Amino acid sequence: MKSFTKKAISIFLTFGMLCGATACSGSSGSTNSTAVQTGENTSKTEKITLSLWDQSVGETDPTSKLLPAVVKQWNKDHPNIQVERTGTTGEQYKTKIKTALAANEAPDVYYGMGGGSFMQPYIEGGNVLVLDSYVLDETKAKMRSGMLDGCKVNGKIYTLPCYTHLANLYVNTALFKKAGATIPTTYQELFDAGTKLKAAGITPAVIGEKDRWPGMYWFDIMAMRQAGNSACIEAFKNPTKFNSEDFIKAADKLQKLAKAGFFNSSMFSMSYDEMLAAFNAGKAAMLFQANWVNAGIEADDSKTKGNVEVVAFPVFQDGKGKATEFFGGGQDGFYVNNATKNPKEAVGFLTYLSEELGTQGYLAGAGLPCWNTDSLDTSKLSSLDKEDSKLLSTGKSFITWWDNILPAESAETHKNLIAELLASKITPQEFCKQMAQLKATELTF
C-alpha cells in the first residue's frame, strides 16, 4: 500500500528546494520525445484511437482550459495515435468511472480521483495497468525527488504524478477591513472574526455542502488542529480512537461555528462550483480550499482579485496540532486501463499528459508541480501561488484528503456525518461514536 509518511517527507523536501530555486524562461520540453521513449512504435500506416476520461470541466478549474490544449497538441504531433477526450463534472464523473470499471468498460486512460481508497479496489481487482516495464529511467529523472513514491502500491507503479495540492484558508482582506476583523491565527480569533463579519452583514465563510466534501475539509482540518496529525493517523488505523476527547472537541468547535451563523445559510443547496463563484464574487469573507482555486480568485473577471490572502488554518490554543501540519500533499494522476489494446501507446500519452499538466499546469495555477520546473519562467506566477509555495515549504507533516484515505464506504459515511453535524442533526458526541464505527484504512503510513 502507499506510504503517506514517506510521501509527506518527500513533499516537504521537494518544495523546500522549489521555493529556493532560480527560475528561467523556457518550456517543459516534454513534447513527443517522452512518449516515444515510453514505447510508441506504431507503424506509420496503422492508426489507433485512445479514449481519455477526466473531470476537468469546471469554469474555475485551470486544468479545464489546459487539458484540451495538451490533447490537441498530442494529436497534432501524433497523427497515428489520436486521443478522444470526454470530460464529466466531478460528482458525476465518480459515478461514471466506477460504473465503467466495474463493467470492464473503462477508457484507455482515465483520471483516478487522487488515488488512495478510490483506486485501491480497482488496482487490487486487476483493472489498472502496472507501469513499471513502460516507464524509463529518463522519464523518472524528470520528476522531483520522491514524487513517484506516491504513485506506487505494493512497490509497483500505477500512475504518474501531475500536481500536488495544499488546502489553506483564503481571506478576503477587503471584507475583513470593512468589518474591522483581524485575520485569525487561533480558533478564538476565527470565531471572533466571524462575529464581526456577521455583524457587518457579511457571510463569514462559504461552504458548498451540496457536494459534501467541502464540509469535510472544514472538519478534517479542525480535527488535525485539535488532535494533531499523528493522532489522526492513528485513528485512520483504529477508528475507535475517533471517539475521544480531542475529536469530540473538534466536532463541537465546528458545530459552534455553524450554530453561530459562520457559514452561508444556503450551504446544503450550494454546490462546489457555486461556492467558488460566491467567494470570487465577494459574497463571503473566507474559504477553506486547496490551491486549485487560485486561478479563479485571481482571474480578470473576479471581484476578489488582489484582495485575497492565503494563510495557514488557525491553530487551537487547547489543541495539539501545529501550523506546520497541513491538509493536502496527495498527488493527482491518470491511470491506464489494464484491458487497453494499446498499452505502450497509452502509457506514452499518459507520460506526455502528466508532464505537460504538471509543468504547464503549475504556471496556470492548477497545482504545485511534481516534475522539474527549472526551465520554466515562474516570474508571472500569481501571488496566491507564490504564497502557497511558501506555506508548503514550512510543512513538517501532511495528511491528504480523508476520503482518499478511508475505505470508500467509510469515506461516504464520514462526509454524511459531517453534514449532519453542520445541520445540528447529531451532537458532537454522537458524531464521534459513529465515526468510531468506520472501517480502518487499508493504506500504510
Side-chain angles (χ1 to χ4, degrees), residues 143-161:
M143 299 177 200
R144 291 189 175 275
S145 176
M147 287 298 168
L148 195 60
D149 293 337
C151 301
K152 297 178 180 179
V153 176
N154 291 330
K156 296 180 180 179
I157 304 170
Y158 285 93
T159 183
L160 297 179

Side-chain angles (χ1 to χ4, degrees), residues 93-202:
Y93 179 79
K94 287 183 181 180
T95 302
K96 180 178 179 179
I97 191 62
K98 283 181 179 179
T99 302
L101 285 166
N104 200 27
E105 297 176 351
D108 296 291
V109 182
Y110 56 90
Y111 176 66
M113 307 301 295
S117 63
F118 185 91
M119 287 303 303
Q120 187 168 314
Y122 308 110
I123 289 173
E124 293 178 346
N127 299 88
V128 187
L129 183 70
V130 178
L131 306 182
D132 294 69
S133 62
Y134 298 97
V135 181
L136 301 183
D137 290 340
E138 185 174 342
T139 299
K140 296 176 185 178
K142 293 183 178 182
M143 299 177 200
R144 291 189 175 275
S145 176
M147 287 298 168
L148 195 60
D149 293 337
C151 301
K152 297 178 180 179
V153 176
N154 291 330
K156 296 180 180 179
I157 304 170
Y158 285 93
T159 183
L160 297 179
C162 292
Y163 314 126
T164 189
H165 296 287
L166 196 71
N168 285 300
L169 186 67
Y170 289 81
V171 177
N172 186 319
T173 55
L175 295 182
F176 263 69
K177 183 177 180 180
K178 180 179 178 180
T182 302
I183 295 177
T185 59
T186 66
Y187 174 80
Q188 188 58 53
E189 290 177 358
L190 181 70
F191 192 93
D192 292 345
T195 300
K196 288 186 177 181
L197 288 160
K198 190 170 175 59
I202 300 168

Side-chain angles (χ1 to χ4, degrees), residues 345-361:
E345 291 78 10
V347 176
F349 171 68
L350 170 74
T351 306
Y352 176 88
L353 176 67
S354 300
E355 185 177 359
E356 285 297 302
L357 290 182
T359 51
Q360 300 305 316

Side-chain angles (χ1 to χ4, degrees), residues 280-297:
N280 294 348
K283 295 182 179 179
M286 285 178 280
L287 174 74
F288 181 67
Q289 262 300 315
N291 54 286
W292 49 63
V293 304
N294 292 359
I297 292 172

Side-chain angles (χ1 to χ4, degrees), residues 91 96 129 253 263 280 320 410 429:
E91 293 305 308
K96 180 178 179 179
L129 183 70
K253 282 182 167 69
F263 303 112
N280 294 348
K320 300 179 177 69
S410 292
Q429 291 77 12

